[in-house]
């Protein structure tokens, strides 16, 4: 019976550990901390021709797939595959070597 109680307590402790403090992922915590809405996004076209939002903050980078309102990938043909377009390196005072 003791092993059952120990196992139950361990399971409860592991389950509660998932309820830790929430981290705000909309804020840049790097050298020049700011809200991510202040950064400029560009578009990277993957090898399949589909778009991804890209932001280069000098040290950190952000990438997420561009989706339509139904959750399907957007493949706009805005440029050749495996290239990035737009002002995605603006919005940060941190130097980024080219």
């Amino acid at each position: 019976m003791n092993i059952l109680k120990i196992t139950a307590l361990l399971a409860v402790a592991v389950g509660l550990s998932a309820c830790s403090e929430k981290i705000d992922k909309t804020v840049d915590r790097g050298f020049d901390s700011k809200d991510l809405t202040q950064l400029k996004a560009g578009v990277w076209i993957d090898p399949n021709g589909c778009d991804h939002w890209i932001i280069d903050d000098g040290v950190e980078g952000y990438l997420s797939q561009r989706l339509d309102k139904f959750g399907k990938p957007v493949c706009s043909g805005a440029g050749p595959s495996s290239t990035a377009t737009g002002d995605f390196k603006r919005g940060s005072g941190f130097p980024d070597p080219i």
Side-chain angles (χ1 to χ4, degrees), residues 23-88:
I23 297 174
D24 184 5
K25 294 184 179 180
T26 64
V27 177
D28 176 18
R29 293 184 181 5
F31 291 102
D32 57 349
S33 298
K34 66 176 121 344
D35 192 85
L36 294 182
T37 60
Q38 295 174 336
L39 298 173
K40 307 292 181 201
V43 175
W44 172 67
I45 296 93
D46 68 18
N48 297 325
C50 295
D51 302 355
H52 300 264
W53 295 115
I54 182 173
I55 297 173
D56 182 359
D57 190 22
V59 175
E60 301 165 312
Y62 305 92
L63 176 78
S64 65
Q65 190 168 18
R66 188 173 171 209
L67 304 172
D68 67 10
K69 64 181 179 179
F70 302 108
K72 303 227 186 257
V74 173
C75 305
S76 68
S81 65
S82 299
T83 60
T85 61
D87 245 354
F88 61 94

Side-chain angles (χ1 to χ4, degrees), residues 11-25:
V12 168
V14 169
L16 287 176
S17 69
C19 299
S20 64
E21 181 181 335
K22 302 286 184 198
I23 297 174
D24 184 5
K25 294 184 179 180

